[in-house]
Amino acid sequence: MVRLKSPEEICKIEFAAKIVAEVLAVVEAYAVEGASANDMERAAEDVINRRGGIPAFKGYNGYPYTLCVSVNEEVIHGFPLKAKVFSEGDIVSVDCGVVKDGFIGDAARSFVVGSYLCEKDRLLMERTEEALCKGIEVAVAGNRLGDIGFAVQSCVESAGFSVIRDYVGHGVGVSLHEDPQVPNYGIQGSGMLLRTGMTLAIEPMVASGHYSLETLEDGWTVVTEDRSRAAHFEHDIAIMEDGPKILSRL
């Protein structure tokens, strides 16, 4: 069931989401050659603690860390390990969730370490972020859920990339994953009616090759089956009377 949020509840989600945005801004400094995913983890914990938040991912279904840090062919749920040391040209995707006063913020960004190794990597990053913007643009009351997926998919596939099918965006609020599911693919004009008061996490996950996935032996890290590189961008938004409002932006 989709629960519409009041203006006061949207403000509380926004407060949590802005802590996430601060985390992502801080960890970008560690997307450099020789730094590790665990450096990002420790920096994120410091920000969340200082802001009086609680890591939303840590302990969720047994997940053991504050961040998901996924590198290159890792799509999502990568562990932020000390042994995961960044090299020139790596694509590093960071996903973070924060609970503050009972409400949740959830967002993700991808970074390149140093310079891109090839033009395809640059285009992958640009199109994934652009697809997020396209999805947000059509998240307006009166449109349909399929309009979001169609906008994302069209942007991604027109560049020759693939949207991930096995994992999708979602509602966000008092639970990390609320209804409705928000696929990054869809048919224009189809699906649930979008209404004022909906709060959604829209998150294109895009592979430079095929969208087929596999999960590694740790039981969490999801990689592309063909080991093509991936990118991930995510924002929390609220559907307001005058259009979509991005909550997870500083």
Side-chain angles (χ1 to χ4, degrees), residues 127-145:
R127 275 304 174 99
T128 306
E129 188 168 18
E130 182 183 353
L132 173 59
C133 294
K134 296 291 187 184
I136 292 171
E137 285 175 5
V138 297
V140 299
N143 278 354
R144 298 277 176 175
L145 199 59

Side-chain angles (χ1 to χ4, degrees), residues 146-225:
D147 294 325
I148 297 175
F150 179 82
V152 171
Q153 184 178 13
S154 299
C155 182
V156 168
E157 293 183 350
S158 65
F161 301 129
S162 302
V163 292
I164 300 303
R165 263 71 166 173
D166 293 355
Y167 296 88
V168 298
H170 50 88
V172 68
V174 295
S175 298
L176 185 57
H177 296 108
E178 297 185 352
D179 290 334
Q181 292 192 342
V182 185
N184 294 305
Y185 55 91
I187 299 171
Q188 198 170 26
S190 70
M192 179 182 293
L193 183 70
L194 300 179
R195 299 169 61 192
T196 300
M198 283 184 172
T199 48
L200 307 175
I202 300 175
E203 51 176 322
M205 293 156 276
V206 177
S208 59
H210 197 268
Y211 56 76
S212 295
L213 305 176
E214 64 178 272
T215 303
L216 299 184
E217 290 183 0
D218 62 22
W220 281 98
T221 307
V222 176
V223 301
T224 52
E225 193 172 69

Side-chain angles (χ1 to χ4, degrees), residues 1-12:
M1 180 193 303
V2 176
R3 190 173 70 81
L4 303 180
K5 310 301 192 303
S6 68
E8 293 76 19
E9 289 173 318
I10 291 171
C11 285
K12 290 180 178 180

Side-chain angles (χ1 to χ4, degrees), residues 25-159:
V26 168
V27 302
E28 183 176 9
Y30 298 92
V32 294
E33 189 169 14
S36 76
N38 190 253
D39 293 331
M40 290 182 166
E41 173 83 353
R42 289 187 289 107
E45 289 176 340
D46 179 64
V47 172
I48 294 169
N49 288 336
R50 284 191 289 106
R51 296 303 183 201
I54 300 169
F57 295 172
K58 201 168 191 176
Y60 183 77
N61 291 335
Y63 186 77
Y65 300 102
T66 293
L67 295 180
C68 297
V69 182
S70 307
V71 181
N72 295 332
E73 73 274 8
E74 297 175 350
V75 180
I76 51 172
H77 304 161
F79 286 177
L81 303 175
K82 289 181 180 178
K84 192 178 284 186
V85 178
F86 306 138
S87 300
E88 181 79 8
D90 281 346
I91 293 175
V92 180
S93 299
V94 182
D95 196 357
C96 179
V98 169
V99 183
K100 176 67 176 176
D101 298 330
F103 289 83
I104 293 174
D106 179 16
R109 285 181 61 192
S110 294
F111 310 103
V112 63
V113 176
S115 301
Y116 290 108
L117 294 183
C118 61
E119 179 66 13
K120 188 174 185 179
D121 285 354
R122 183 192 64 78
L123 184 59
L124 171 68
M125 293 276 276
E126 288 184 356
R127 275 304 174 99
T128 306
E129 188 168 18
E130 182 183 353
L132 173 59
C133 294
K134 296 291 187 184
I136 292 171
E137 285 175 5
V138 297
V140 299
N143 278 354
R144 298 277 176 175
L145 199 59
D147 294 325
I148 297 175
F150 179 82
V152 171
Q153 184 178 13
S154 299
C155 182
V156 168
E157 293 183 350
S158 65

